[in-house]
Amino acid sequence: MKKIMITGALGQIGSELTVKLREIYGTANVIATDIRSNDSEAAQAGPFEILDVTNAPALATTANKHGVDTIIHMAALLSATAEANPVFAWNLNMGGLMNALETARELDCQFFTPSSIGAFGPSTPKVATPQDTIQRPTTMYGVNKVAGELLADYYFNRFGVDTRGLRFPGLISYAAPPGGGTTDYAVEIFYEAIKNGHYSSYIGRGTYMDMMYMPDALTAIIQLMEADPAKLKHRNSFNVTAMSVDPEEIAQEIRKHQPDFQLSYNVDPVRQRIAESWPNSIDASAAEEEWGFKAQYSLSSMTPDMLQKLKQKLAQPN
Ligand code: VAH
C-alpha cells in the first residue's frame, strides 16, 4: 500500500491532488504538507504537517515519522513570482528539490516532481515542441525546471531512485486559485467572466500557450506514477498537453455559454515576455507511447464544466 507525502499540498495542483490521492489510496496514507495551513479539504480532512522544504532535517523527519514510500514534491515558486524574486526562487525551488530527493534516496521512496513548458526557451522549436530538444530558458523558473529535470534524472541514474516527472502546460482549475504563474490568465478569465462579464488579459492577443484542465493533470500524475518502469524511456520530463490556445480562443468558447462576455487587453510586459519565450504547442507523443497519456478535456469540453463548477463555488458563502 502506498504511503505518500505531498509537499506544497495546498497549492493549485497539490490541493486537488491530495484529495484525489486520498480517495484512491486512503486518507490515512496521504500526508499533506505545506509552509502554512488553511481551511481547505487537503489541510483539514486528513493528515497534515507544516513543513518548510528548505529545512532538510524537517523534511526527512516528517517523511520518516509517517513511514512514507512515495514523495510528491510540489512546493515551488511559479514563473512570474520567481522572476520577481530570483535568488529566493533558486533557494526554494532547487534547495527544496535537493532536500526532497535526498530524503527519497535515504528512505527508498518513489518520487514525483513537476517540470513545465517553462523548461523551454526562445531557441526551442515553438510548434510541436519535441520531447527531446534544445532547452535554453530565459527565466529563473525555467532554469530551475531544466536543472530540476537533470537533477531528478541524476538521482535515478546514480542512486536508482524511482524519479518521475511531467512538463506541465498551464493548468486550469476551479478549486484552488493559482498564484504567481504566467498562465494564470487562463484561470482568471473564467472567474471574471462569472463575476463581471468582462476580463482584461495581461497576456496579449495571439499569444499561444499549451493548457490542460486540472482533472487531466491529476490523472496524468497518477498514471505516470503507476506506469510500468520497464516501458519508460524518459523519466522526469514528459511533455503533456491538452490544448494550445490564446486569450481570444478562450473568450470565444466562453461566449458560447455567456454571449455577452467581453475581453480586453492590458498586457503585462514581464509576463508577456515569459509567455513569448515558451512554446506555442508541444508534442506529447512520448507520454502517449510510453505510458498511455491521453487528455480527456479539450477547450470546448472544459469550458462548460469549468463555468458550471466555478459558479457553484462562487455561490457558496465564504
Ligand atoms: C506558470 N502555471 O505559469 C505555471 C506553469 C507552464 C506554466 O509552469 O508559471
Side-chain angles (χ1 to χ4, degrees):
M1 170 59 76
K2 276 187 185 291
K3 190 87 178 243
I4 303 165
M5 179 173 88
I6 304 179
T7 72
L10 305 188
Q12 183 194 15
I13 301 173
S15 56
E16 293 196 57
L17 181 62
T18 298
V19 172
K20 183 151 178 108
L21 290 176
R22 285 174 174 163
E23 288 167 1
I24 298 169
Y25 301 109
T27 298
N29 293 316
V30 182
I31 296 86
T33 75
D34 209 308
I35 189 79
R36 64 183 65 81
S37 186
N38 64 20
D39 59 0
S40 68
E41 185 179 354
Q44 303 300 327
F48 178 82
E49 302 262 12
I50 297 285
L51 175 63
D52 174 352
V53 295
T54 63
N55 180 336
L59 200 158
T61 301
T62 304
N64 225 352
K65 166 184 165 186
H66 292 278
V68 300
D69 59 26
T70 304
I71 294 176
I72 296 184
H73 181 62
M74 306 303 287
L77 288 191
L78 295 182
S79 56
T81 309
E83 209 55 21
N85 310 275
V87 175
F88 176 53
W90 176 270
N91 292 332
L92 170 54
N93 291 355
M94 302 317 299
L97 176 59
M98 175 60 88
N99 294 341
L101 281 165
E102 269 297 282
T103 295
R105 180 182 64 78
E106 287 159 6
L107 299 183
D108 192 20
C109 292
Q110 191 184 25
F111 187 86
F112 176 89
T113 200
S115 182
S116 159
I117 59 173
F120 298 119
S123 54
T124 302
K126 280 204 170 299
V127 176
T129 303
Q131 176 63 47
D132 302 306
T133 186
I134 188 164
Q135 292 179 259
R136 304 288 294 179
T138 52
T139 65
M140 171 53 79
Y141 179 72
V143 169
N144 298 160
K145 288 304 179 185
V146 174
E149 290 180 9
L150 297 173
L151 192 59
D153 278 348
Y154 176 82
Y155 268 74
F156 171 67
N157 291 310
R158 176 75 168 66
F159 302 116
V161 179
D162 182 0
T163 60
R164 305 185 190 194
L166 300 169
R167 284 187 193 127
F168 275 132
L171 298 181
I172 297 170
S173 64
Y174 52 83
T182 297
T183 61
D184 297 355
Y185 89 88
V187 178
E188 293 174 4
I189 193 169
F190 286 96
Y191 277 84
E192 292 308 308
I194 292 167
K195 290 195 287 191
N196 304 312
H198 169 265
Y199 179 62
S200 179
S201 173
Y202 60 76
I203 292 294
R205 179 197 307 263
T207 306
Y208 281 83
M209 288 187 274
D210 286 279
M211 299 284 174
M212 182 186 282
Y213 199 25
M214 185 61 79
D216 279 333
L218 304 181
T219 301
I221 293 171
I222 294 161
Q223 221 176 332
L224 174 59
M225 291 299 273
E226 298 286 5
D228 176 359
K231 293 190 177 145
L232 300 181
K233 301 187 191 94
H234 296 83
R235 276 278 166 170
N236 291 287
S237 56
F238 284 97
N239 288 357
V240 288
T241 184
M243 59 193 91
S244 167
V245 292
D246 81 320
E248 286 296 327
E249 290 187 2
I250 299 177
Q252 283 163 19
E253 204 59 40
I254 289 172
R255 287 192 199 103
K256 290 179 185 172
H257 308 275
Q258 220 175 286
D260 299 336
F261 174 67
Q262 295 293 318
L263 173 66
S264 61
Y265 293 92
N266 180 19
V267 174
D268 166 13
V270 173
R271 286 181 286 185
Q272 183 64 24
R273 175 182 67 81
I274 294 172
E276 289 175 356
S277 74
W278 291 351
N280 294 348
S281 60
I282 64 176
D283 172 74
S285 54
E288 291 159 5
E289 288 153 17
E290 296 178 38
W291 49 275
F293 167 71
K294 183 167 176 41
Q296 299 305 305
Y297 285 91
S298 63
L299 179 60
S300 59
S301 53
M302 171 190 73
T303 298
D305 192 69
M306 178 72 179
L307 287 170
Q308 187 238 330
K309 299 277 178 40
L310 204 44
K311 277 177 189 155
Q312 288 169 353
K313 174 186 169 182
L314 295 174
Q316 288 165 8
N318 287 334

